[in-house]
């Protein structure tokens, strides 16, 4: 028998996702040289240094943490910000899972990305069981999750050349 996620307060799902992301997911990516993996899979001009790559992750963390604070300020009114964090984690896991399958080898971050999928699935089961899901809420949440990607990427790209000079 699968225990019900209904009685768990939803706030724990985005919090758990951020806790898995920092430090566990980033540590797994670091140990298995995610910067080199990115270089080979995304045709970057050169592999990022670890400090540069960690600063990039800091931008994602700041975005997710900001969204978490907005969500926790009023968990009903800003539920989409919390769901967006869970969707962001699921989106992050897709990269690791798809490339692991297509490469026939484990990509850096695959193991912790499985936890992202479990958290996202459990979170959506929780929302469904508590009758909190609607099409509009899901669309807003997806939009916010995309913003959790786009906004940090804008900062990453805008200061990338500076970081390459500072951290060759």
């Amino acid at each position: 028998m699968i225990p019900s996620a209904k009685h768990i307060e939803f706030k724990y799902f985005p919090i758990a996702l951020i806790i898995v992301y920092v430090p566990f997911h980033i540590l797994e990516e670091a140990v298995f040289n995610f910067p080199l993996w990115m270089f080979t899979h995304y045709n970057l001009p050169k592999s990022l240094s670890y400090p540069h790559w960690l600063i990039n992750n800091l931008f994602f963390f700041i975005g997710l943490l900001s969204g978490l604070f907005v969500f926790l300020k009023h968990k009903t009114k800003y539920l989409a910000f919390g769901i967006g964090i869970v969707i962001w984690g699921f989106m992050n896991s897709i990269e690791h899972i798809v490339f692991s399958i297509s490469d026939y080898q484990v990509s850096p971050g695959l193991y912790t990305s499985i936890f992202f999928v479990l958290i996202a699935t459990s979170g959506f089961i929780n929302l469904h069981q508590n009758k909190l899901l609607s099409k509009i809420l899901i669309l807003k949440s997806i939009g916010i999750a995309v913003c959790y990607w786009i906004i940090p990427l804008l900062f990453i790209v805008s200061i990338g050349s500076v970081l390459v000079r500072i951290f060759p």
Side-chain angles (χ1 to χ4, degrees):
M1 180 173 155
I2 298 172
S4 173
K6 183 177 184 175
H7 302 295
I8 300 170
E9 194 175 342
F10 179 76
K11 73 177 182 181
Y12 294 111
F13 295 97
I15 291 170
L17 198 126
I18 291 172
I19 289 171
V20 170
Y21 175 54
V22 179
F24 302 107
H25 186 70
I26 293 172
L27 178 63
E28 180 187 358
E29 287 184 339
V31 167
F32 295 104
N33 202 352
F34 190 77
L36 179 61
W37 183 90
M38 273 182 25
F39 168 72
T40 60
H41 284 79
Y42 291 110
N43 299 317
L44 299 176
K46 67 181 255 183
S47 182
L48 299 179
S49 67
Y50 272 93
H52 184 164
W53 171 74
L54 285 171
I55 291 168
N56 289 353
N57 274 284
L58 179 64
F59 286 114
F60 286 111
F61 176 62
I62 290 169
L64 293 171
L65 201 58
S66 298
L68 181 65
F69 289 144
V70 169
F71 164 60
L72 292 176
K73 186 173 176 94
H74 195 291
K75 292 181 290 252
T76 305
K77 184 176 180 183
Y78 300 124
L79 180 59
F81 285 86
I83 297 171
I85 293 168
V86 172
I87 293 171
W88 179 92
F90 180 79
M91 290 165 56
N92 186 308
S93 71
I94 296 297
E95 174 186 41
H96 298 284
I97 293 167
V98 167
F99 276 111
S100 291
I101 292 168
S102 68
D103 292 346
Y104 297 109
Q105 63 182 356
V106 173
S107 71
L110 174 68
Y111 300 116
T112 48
S113 73
I114 293 167
F115 286 102
F116 289 166
V117 171
L118 293 173
I119 292 167
T121 302
S122 300
F124 272 94
I125 290 170
N126 172 281
L127 293 166
H128 176 72
Q129 288 176 340
N130 287 301
K131 298 179 181 12
L132 294 172
L133 289 177
S134 70
K135 288 178 185 176
I136 291 174
L137 178 62
I138 291 171
L139 290 174
K140 280 183 190 176
S141 301
I142 290 170
I144 290 169
V146 168
C147 288
Y148 289 147
W149 281 105
I150 291 174
I151 294 170
L153 283 172
L154 290 174
F155 283 103
I156 288 166
V157 169
S158 68
I159 67 163
S161 58
V162 172
L163 290 177
V164 167
R165 284 195 303 273
I166 297 171
F167 304 107

